[in-house]
Amino acid sequence: MKILVTGSAGFLAYHLLQTLLSEGHFVVGIDNMVSGLEKNTSDLLKEYPKTFRFIKADIIEMTTQNISHKKEWSKYLSLDSTASSHMKKFERIYHLACPASPPIYQNDMLHTADTCYTGSRNIFELALIHEARILIASTSEIYGDPEVHPQPEEYRGNVNTVGPRSCYDEGKRLMETLGYIYHTQKGLDIRTARIFNTYGPRMNPFDGRVLTNFISQALRGENLTVFGDGTQTRSFCYVSDLIDGLNRLMDSNIIEPINLGAHNEISIIELAQKTIQLIDKKLKIKHKRLPIDDPKMRHPHTSRAEKLLGWNAQVSLDEGLKMMIQDFKKE
Ligand code: UDP
């Protein structure tokens, strides 16, 4: 198959691309490199020189008109009657583009909101032209600071429209809405994954997220920064489980959004203690100010994924953390 992946230099995309390319698909990746890692792309280009192509570009700019005017873009993205085999239609699109780490997506809030709206619209239009099935990466952030626990897909959320997280939370909510509009009014063949916290090798060590911070700090022999009192909770899904869930969803005929996440809810202070146990028992915890609107708890309800996709996260937090620590030690 010919497949397009937006946000291709990101951590999730790296693992997804490894799966797709090893299965023999031809994949075109797009990334603007705001939060992706150069190494993810260069390693894949080296490993799959014949079947992987990369376009450095911002999806916000990728209108149908711009695509047809730019040679480098139209070569892989346009449908042209003189098309070579590489230029045939995309059958599938994984739309993952958008920084997901709070410090990074808050760096340029307008750009984040625009990526979710204008960028998604551009990619939805492209999907219509190619008659491709598209899977969009939504997020547990659409539930905001949830008042229902664990969070089922029916829960409509508790999001602050005017706070530092709203560019991402409301942006992703609007992306889901756009997906609904394109599906109901234009027939777009869409799948929506609501991705909960995911971790593993190849995360950007500087993305400011909790596990990248904790592991990087501990490996440098620094104390671990816990925001607030650390009683807030998260559930952490290992990346291989998540990719399996995404692919099952892509292969399915399920149009409604599906939660993908693990059942290992843990407080952030316990997570810090666990990291200290695994890396260096002499380290201590240093408390820092809790960011505004930081969700107090998060745990996915996954019965929909279990029932409709036969999916459940398999890798335990201890196993996953050990694999991620090994990977970070190499860098
Ligand atoms: N956090 C922390 N120390 C850090 C980074 C994050 O205590 O160095 C906390 C953060 O306040 C949040 C949780 O860890 O409660 C998860 O944060 P992350 O940025 O990884 O993702 P989120 O789920 O908030 O999007």
Side-chain angles (χ1 to χ4, degrees):
M1 264 192 249
K2 187 178 167 190
I3 299 173
L4 178 68
V5 177
T6 73
S8 65
F11 140 75
L12 286 185
Y14 174 81
H15 295 275
L16 173 68
L17 286 166
Q18 272 293 359
T19 310
L20 300 175
L21 289 163
S22 66
E23 286 169 356
H25 300 295
F26 182 87
V27 184
V28 177
I30 303 174
D31 206 297
N32 62 2
M33 302 311 294
V34 162
S35 61
L37 288 179
E38 298 278 354
K39 187 174 163 29
N40 289 348
T41 304
S42 56
D43 285 356
L44 288 166
L45 285 170
K46 247 183 256 153
E47 201 173 340
Y48 301 98
K50 294 211 172 81
T51 51
F52 179 49
R53 297 288 180 278
F54 175 67
I55 303 172
K56 184 174 176 207
D58 196 314
I59 57 166
I60 296 172
E61 311 295 330
M62 287 192 150
T63 57
T64 314
Q65 210 183 16
N66 285 349
I67 289 174
S68 66
H69 288 157
K70 266 205 157 186
K71 257 201 187 142
E72 194 209 344
W73 296 357
S74 63
K75 186 172 168 203
Y76 293 112
L77 306 178
S78 292
L79 282 180
D80 189 303
S81 53
T82 61
S84 69
S85 61
H86 282 174
M87 293 173 71
K88 284 190 305 214
K89 282 182 180 176
F90 287 108
E91 282 180 57
R92 291 188 170 180
I93 299 177
Y94 290 83
H95 176 37
L96 311 181
C98 189
S101 151
I104 300 184
Y105 72 62
Q106 288 167 23
N107 256 344
D108 188 344
M109 298 193 225
L110 202 53
H111 189 263
T112 301
D114 229 11
T115 301
C116 294
Y117 182 72
T118 313
S120 297
R121 261 200 94 162
N122 288 339
I123 299 302
F124 291 176
E125 289 293 334
L126 195 66
L128 285 179
I129 292 169
H130 284 258
E131 296 174 315
R133 176 178 294 179
I134 184 167
L135 181 147
I136 59 174
S138 186
T139 165
S140 52
E141 285 283 326
I142 64 110
Y143 301 121
D145 187 7
E147 292 150 317
V148 169
H149 196 68
Q151 295 81 53
E153 288 87 350
E154 295 78 16
Y155 178 50
R156 294 185 183 177
N158 176 35
V159 174
N160 182 4
T161 58
V162 285
R165 296 177 92 98
S166 50
C167 57
Y168 183 74
D169 298 9
E170 295 293 359
K172 288 286 185 174
R173 288 172 70 94
L174 188 53
M175 178 184 73
E176 283 199 14
T177 307
L178 262 183
Y180 172 78
I181 296 169
Y182 269 76
H183 174 68
T184 51
Q185 301 211 319
K186 295 175 185 259
L188 183 67
D189 188 17
I190 196 160
R191 309 286 179 274
T192 303
R194 289 187 182 152
I195 301 173
F196 283 64
N197 296 65
T198 304
Y199 71 105
R202 299 258 177 178
M203 283 184 93
N204 180 344
F206 305 105
D207 76 354
R209 306 190 91 184
V210 67
L211 271 171
T212 48
N213 275 4
F214 283 178
I215 295 175
S216 304
Q217 288 162 345
L219 290 176
R220 288 195 300 263
E222 294 169 11
N223 293 331
L224 275 60
T225 53
V226 167
F227 298 165
D229 62 8
T231 52
Q232 70 271 32
T233 68
R234 296 290 186 276
S235 310
F236 294 91
C237 185
Y238 191 68
V239 64
S240 56
D241 281 331
L242 199 277
I243 300 303
D244 177 42
L246 287 184
N247 284 325
R248 284 176 191 239
L249 178 58
M250 183 60 120
D251 287 340
S252 77
N253 55 8
I254 298 152
I255 301 297
E256 66 261 38
I258 297 263
N259 285 343
L260 294 175
H263 296 291
N264 50 22
E265 186 176 2
I266 182 170
S267 69
I268 296 303
I269 194 120
E270 282 172 309
L271 185 68
Q273 285 154 354
K274 197 184 258 300
T275 312
I276 288 173
Q277 283 301 315
L278 288 170
I279 298 181
D280 180 353
K281 298 192 179 61
K282 291 190 293 298
L283 297 174
K284 304 231 160 359
I285 285 165
K286 179 167 82 180
H287 289 272
K288 284 195 159 182
R289 195 179 53 81
L290 186 70
I292 297 168
D293 292 336
D294 198 284
K296 284 181 275 307
M297 53 194 178
R298 185 180 289 153
H299 184 155
H301 211 296
T302 57
S303 55
R304 204 180 267 184
E306 283 161 37
K307 205 162 78 202
L308 301 179
L309 305 177
W311 180 86
N312 227 322
Q314 304 291 325
V315 179
S316 74
L317 186 55
D318 279 22
E319 269 177 276
L321 280 178
K322 282 180 193 152
M323 292 190 269
M324 184 167 167
I325 291 167
Q326 273 319 105
D327 177 69
F328 271 47
K329 273 185 181 164
K330 284 190 277 174
E331 296 308 313

